[in-house]
Amino acid sequence: MLKTLLISFKLKNTYLVNSILHGFRQIPLIKKLFPPDVYSMTGFKVFAYVLAVLWGIFSTFAFKLLYFMYAVYIWKGTFEIERSAQPQFFFHLLIPLTFVGAFANNYMFTPEKHKYYAMMQLGMDAKKFTLSNYFFCLAKYFIGFTVCSLIFGTALHLKPWQCMLFVVFAACAKTAVCLIEMIRFKKGKKLSTRTKIGILPILLGAAGIIGLYVLSVFGYMIPLYVSYGIMALTIIGAFLALPYIFRFNEYRAMNKMILNTEFVSQMDAKAAQNIRMQANTQKNISTDTSISSSKSGFEYLNELFVKRHKKILWGSSVKVTIGAAVLLTFLCVLCIMSHKESRELNRLLSRSLPYFVFLMYAVNRGMQFTQALFVNCDHSLLTYPFYKEPKAILTLFRIRLREIIKVNLLPAAVGGIGLDALMFVSGGADSPITYGVIFVSMCALSVFFSVHYLTIYYLLQPYNAGTEIKNGTYKLITSATYLVCYFMIYLKVPTLVFGLLTIVFCLLYAAVACFLVYRFAPKTFRIHS
């Protein structure tokens, strides 16, 4: 089994080194330093190999440190958990999250290309390969979790034995899930770790996780003795599962199902997905021939587009608005009925405006708007010379920006009014100006995201003729946007100060973005090969 592990290491490292070199060749500017034959050049391969080793060490600890920090530790101060209740808080959050991770991120069932090459193409012993790699990864997981658990557990006043108990439980949870999945496979069922999850289970799961945190705000947490019992049962279950895992003889068939589904049929699945996406898009586009407009020029084109794509553009916005209105109304009623909950909510609202940067990012329809524009309008019209003239581009940019701001302002305005109402019924703000700042800042955030996505669409135009995103810079900017918005959750700034800063920033950003479009879009707004 050791020999199998060493061979798999060499195979995985070779694939990783080539992937790193390929990745550098996709980054603008940097790719000029990497020639096309870089994969056969020893110096570059050594450089990539060193990066691969450093990445392996980094990934063993870094992501787990971030997980513990942002899943538990940072909320201790936000929710003002008392010192004596912090161990209970630690287990209350991490035990359910660990079970979710055991199913969603279990290495034994994760499809990776080096696994496909080893077992499916090179014919390596599937059982030896799977078990040697699984237990090696489990050992890395155990080491990383031990360090992180001791760091953050002791910071939350857990004793060392409590930290180690959780680490053993976390490793055993993944092993116990392996038994469950193998039994499912023997019965001819799809592995739950590889099953496509519907939107309803995802929403229910998200609601359950949010519920864990909300309960903590009001002091309701899983009792410690219950947490100990769950961990003990999981550890026992994992040890009972080990003999079955070693006796299991269908590793090749199981991996064939996982890997072939992921890689062999990948192109067919992608093509089928594109067909389904196009069909769903067509269903949401009105074919009513009576739709018309009294306007002329680009205003005529835009009005027809908006009317025919009303479901795509306004459907999600209306649904989000209704959902936000219902939730905020419920919270207002809760505050009126319970003084304890109202005090807690008022305390959170007084410094929680940065949280809503991420929420506004999540509900904003800017990216969906630009995708609909390209697929159902610009994809065809960009083939005409008149459509690429500077005056035409700038005129349409102004018209489209107005439309997407309308779409995104609806949930933002309702959310701003609802937050003001919630602040008022839960105890009020320190200054009357705060109510106006909350409302205006929510609307300003909505305008910011509208401008942001339309601007990068015009400046980078990420789609090729096949409507696939091929612009690496666009991907980097959208990823950076997500990360910045996510980390805003943990920013602690008074509502009034943050609201005023948000308004000023959004106004400046809109002015700069419009200038950049005016200056560069006539050169960049093209269909790329």
Side-chain angles (χ1 to χ4, degrees), residues 108-111 191 193-194 253-263:
M108 185 176 286
F109 310 104
T110 302
L191 301 178
T193 52
R194 307 306 313 156
M254 184 176 71
N255 279 288
K256 186 176 181 180
M257 184 193 75
I258 296 170
L259 298 171
N260 283 0
T261 300
E262 185 72 18
F263 298 119

Side-chain angles (χ1 to χ4, degrees), residues 43-114:
F44 285 103
K45 292 176 72 174
V46 171
F47 167 72
Y49 187 82
V50 171
L51 288 182
V53 172
L54 293 175
W55 173 254
I57 298 171
F58 175 81
S59 61
T60 300
F61 300 101
F63 295 113
K64 295 175 182 64
L65 286 169
L66 290 174
Y67 171 72
F68 274 85
M69 178 179 290
Y70 292 112
V72 181
Y73 183 76
I74 207 162
W75 298 103
K76 179 242 330 183
T78 303
F79 297 156
E80 297 183 359
I81 305 297
E82 295 180 2
R83 175 170 177 164
S84 60
Q86 287 177 12
Q88 184 181 0
F89 178 70
F90 180 91
F91 291 122
H92 166 79
L93 292 179
L94 284 181
I95 287 178
L97 291 175
T98 300
F99 280 121
V100 172
F103 280 96
N105 185 28
N106 195 312
Y107 182 79
M108 185 176 286
F109 310 104
T110 302
E112 294 182 302
K113 284 195 174 179
H114 80 278

Side-chain angles (χ1 to χ4, degrees), residues 61 93 109 120 157 186 286 306 338 344 355 447 491 514 519:
F61 300 101
L93 292 179
F109 310 104
M120 300 298 109
H157 308 291
K186 292 274 284 187
S286 175
V306 170
S338 173
E344 293 291 341
Y355 300 174
V447 172
L491 188 65
C514 292
R519 180 71 176 80

Side-chain angles (χ1 to χ4, degrees), residues 5 73 104 111 124 163 180 275 340 342 349 358 412 424 436 520 528:
L5 182 62
Y73 183 76
M124 292 182 67
C163 298
I180 296 171
I275 292 171
K340 177 185 177 182
S342 66
L349 283 172
F358 185 75
F424 179 77
F520 298 107
H528 303 294

